[in-house]
Structures are given as C-alpha cells and as structure tokens.
Amino acid sequence: MASFNAAGAGAANPNPNKSLEVNPAPGDSVSSLSFSPKANHLIATSWDNQVRCWEVQPGGQCQAKASISHDQPVLCSAWNDDGTTVFSGGCDKVVKMWPLLSGGQPTALSGHEAPIKELAWIQPMGLLVSGSWDKTLRYWDLRQAQPAHVQQLPERCYALSLSYPLLAVGTADRNVIIFNLQNPQAEFKRIVSPLKYQTRCLAAFPDQSGFLVGSIEGRVGVHHVDDANQSKNFTFKCHREGNDIYSVNSLNFHPVHHTFATAGSDGGFNFWDKDSKQRLKAFSKCPSPITCSTFNQDGSIFAYAVCYDWSKGAEKHTPSTAKTNIFLHSVQESDVKGKPRAGKK
C-alpha cells in the first residue's frame, strides 16, 4: 500500500483516516474530482488552472498520467461514458474537451459569458451540458462549435446533478429547476430549496425520483419531485460542531448501494442511508475543509480533497503553510450498505 505522511508531534494530523494520498498534489485548492466510468482514472481540477489525471493502481498507489491547463482557475470536470474524453470548465468561460486516452490535444468550446460552474455528460443523448454563472445551461453536440441548445436559468448556476432523464439545477436565490431531458427545452418543475440558505451541492437520486440538496448552513434536504411523495421529504443537520456550522460541499450517491456520502468544511465526511434516515458511518475530521469528493465506478474508492475553501477570504489564507491533499478511502461494504433502523425488521 502507498505510504502517507504521518503528522509531526503536536500538529493536527492531516490524514486522520489513514487514507491513501494522491501525489503529486495540486498546487492550489481542488474544485472538483471525477472518476472515469470505465477505469480507476481520477481527474482533479484546481485553482492553479490545472486539470490533472492519475491512475489508481490495484494496490492503491497513484501514478500521475497527464495534465492540461486553462487560462484561469478550473471549477468543474466530467467524463464521457466510454472513459476516453475529459471535459473541464471554469473561470476562462470555455469548456475544454480533452481526448485523454488517445493522447490528443484539448479543443475548446466557447460561448458562455461568465465562469462555468458545472458539467455533466448525458449519455443517452450524446450531449454535454454546462451550467454557468451567466444564467444559462448550454447543451453541446461535440461535432459542432455552437451549442445545440441554450436554456435560460432564473439565476446563476451553482450546482447540477444528472440521473437521466432527471436533471436538477440549483441556482442563486435558492431555486432548484428540474428538467426532464426527454424534453430539455421546457422546465419540468421549479421549486424553492427546502433549505433556508444558499445551495452548495445537489445529487439526483439514482432512481430519478428526487434529489439531495446541501447548503452552506450544515444541512441536507431529501426532496422528491412528485408532489404525491411530499410526505417522504425531510431535512437533517450535519457538518456542525457545537455552535459552529459548516457548509456541506459535496453529495455523492454510492453507485451500488444508493446510500450517499456528505463532505463538508468541517473537514468531515459521513455515509448515510436516506431510506432508513440514519448515518451509517462517521469518519475522523481532517484539519482543513473537504471541498469535493466522489466515488469510483464500482464504489470501492471514495476520493476527497482536503484544502482551504476560501470561506474566510484571503486574510485566512497563508500560502506558505497552505496544503492541498487528495485522499483515497478504501470503502468497506458494511459502511455503505443500507441498514434497517434498529428495532425494525
């Protein structure tokens, strides 16, 4: 197994869960993590304008494979369904399409008028969707330079999650817009987030019946699209310690068991079961925020990035001591398999 750096005496342990460390780490905070749907190839985008790829080998060691640059910080990433191409977007307002496996050069898709915050590949349609702070979604047929469709949003796109045909888009002003991608040019439904504070992340249910929403105020909403299922909706608190309340930065469904992970600015990550309304496993908190996380394609690896989240601005950022880490947690099935509540058969 790959080694990890043990903390010095008296220092906060940077890796309290003894996860495997991905090296070399990015030079600035990580904005997104994405695993290939076909192999253990991990992409990280970061504020140092880079998109990096590592191969995670069977023993857990990581090998840096390749990287490309944007002109400004990169905010999001996605893979196509056959795992050959990586998409990235960010503050330079372009989507880069990188044929990683063939070793080709990236090409740019231009059109957004503000930073690109979210990307998702829509496999049944063969289209890429990008969500931006310019208050639009753009659907890209990769054979064309111009978007196939531009969808206006009520506000800036902050979060987006896809479980075909369900697409959930979270914007400023706490809007959540639901699209049925069988008719992508019409909003299927628009709701106000069940959480009272700004939306930070979304995760569409694997069965397409609803979505999770996480906010900056240490809370997650479990929400069903169909009004007939409203009685099943609930919210719960997480990523809090005493009077300190932290942002929920990432929500990821497990690809096999359909339980989910939350990760937050308290440096913690947890596994949950929405159906039995319980936490399955809480992990030791890292000394810095977890800004993003993801499962690999079979759910055996949970990747998470530990770094400054800029929530306290530049004055709390000390470049000389700031450390960015990407860790790989080996997932135990007992921690992610749903369980009935104690006392229920």
Side-chain angles (χ1 to χ4, degrees):
M1 299 293 273
S3 64
F4 60 88
N5 298 329
N13 183 352
N15 184 9
N17 296 294
K18 299 184 170 59
S19 302
L20 292 164
E21 192 172 341
V22 176
N23 284 310
D28 203 341
S29 296
V30 177
S31 52
S32 77
L33 292 168
S34 304
F35 268 110
S36 163
K38 297 293 186 190
N40 284 328
H41 293 146
L42 176 66
I43 288 287
T45 61
S46 51
W47 286 83
D48 62 2
N49 306 0
Q50 298 292 304
V51 183
R52 294 175 175 83
C53 179
W54 296 264
E55 182 178 359
V56 184
Q57 288 155 347
Q61 297 89 346
C62 291
Q63 185 178 357
K65 298 298 281 184
S67 66
I68 61 166
S69 298
H70 280 247
D71 292 336
Q72 291 184 38
V74 196
L75 301 179
C76 53
S77 55
W79 290 81
N80 70 344
D81 55 287
D82 64 9
T84 60
T85 304
V86 172
F87 307 102
S88 53
C91 297
D92 58 6
K93 309 175 202 170
V94 300
V95 175
K96 289 212 172 177
M97 180 169 62
W98 180 21
L100 175 68
L101 258 55
S102 67
Q105 289 302 303
T107 53
L109 300 169
S110 304
H112 278 296
E113 293 165 13
I116 297 163
K117 177 61 175 65
E118 296 287 341
L119 289 168
W121 175 253
I122 311 168
Q123 190 262 323
M125 301 170 79
L127 297 176
L128 180 75
V129 61
S130 54
S132 166
W133 294 340
D134 67 7
K135 306 182 186 180
T136 68
L137 295 178
R138 288 170 198 250
Y139 293 85
W140 305 89
D141 178 330
L142 304 179
R143 299 164 296 187
Q144 300 166 203
Q146 297 303 312
H149 173 59
V150 178
Q151 179 71 35
Q152 296 298 318
L153 297 172
E155 251 296 352
R156 290 153 289 165
C157 175
Y158 283 171
L160 177 153
S161 184
L162 168 71
S163 181
Y164 187 86
L166 173 74
L167 176 67
V169 182
T171 71
D173 288 349
R174 297 171 45 241
N175 296 290
V176 180
I177 300 102
I178 304 298
F179 293 94
N180 177 347
L181 290 177
Q182 288 156 339
N183 181 19
Q185 301 185 13
E187 288 186 16
F188 180 75
K189 193 169 195 175
R190 187 185 295 192
I191 68 162
V192 175
S193 167
L195 309 179
K196 295 188 177 74
Y197 290 83
Q198 179 183 309
T199 300
R200 178 54 59 89
C201 48
L202 288 169
F205 292 177
D207 68 1
Q208 303 94 45
S209 66
F211 58 89
L212 306 172
V213 54
S215 78
I216 59 169
E217 189 243 350
R219 207 180 285 260
V220 170
V222 177
H223 201 88
H224 294 76
V225 174
D226 189 340
D227 288 340
N229 289 327
Q230 272 196 333
S231 62
K232 295 182 185 173
N233 296 344
F234 64 98
T235 66
F236 64 93
K237 297 173 185 174
C238 50
H239 301 287
R240 296 167 174 232
E241 197 164 331
N243 292 324
D244 294 328
I245 298 173
Y246 297 89
S247 173
V248 181
N249 293 329
S250 194
L251 292 163
N252 314 108
F253 273 103
H254 190 272
V256 177
H257 296 296
H258 299 169
T259 51
F260 66 93
T262 63
S265 285
D266 61 340
F269 65 98
N270 305 289
F271 295 160
W272 308 82
D273 180 358
K274 70 176 174 60
D275 298 326
S276 65
K277 298 187 180 179
Q278 63 183 331
R279 183 161 67 180
L280 299 172
K281 178 79 172 177
F283 294 88
S284 300
K285 287 183 181 170
C286 301
S288 295
I290 299 178
T291 53
C292 50
S293 59
T294 190
F295 286 105
N296 69 337
Q297 80 279 5
D298 66 2
S300 63
I301 301 170
F302 180 71
Y304 59 102
V306 180
C307 48
Y308 186 48
D309 61 358
W310 293 92
S311 61
K312 294 190 167 82
E315 67 272 14
K316 295 288 184 184
H317 178 59
T318 359
S320 57
T321 57
K323 182 107 173 73
T324 294
N325 291 105
I326 299 171
F327 292 119
L328 304 177
H329 169 73
S330 179
V331 176
Q332 304 306 304
E333 188 175 31
S334 58
D335 293 342
V336 288
K337 200 167 183 179
K339 301 182 181 87
R341 281 190 87 88
K344 289 187 182 177
K345 293 292 183 201

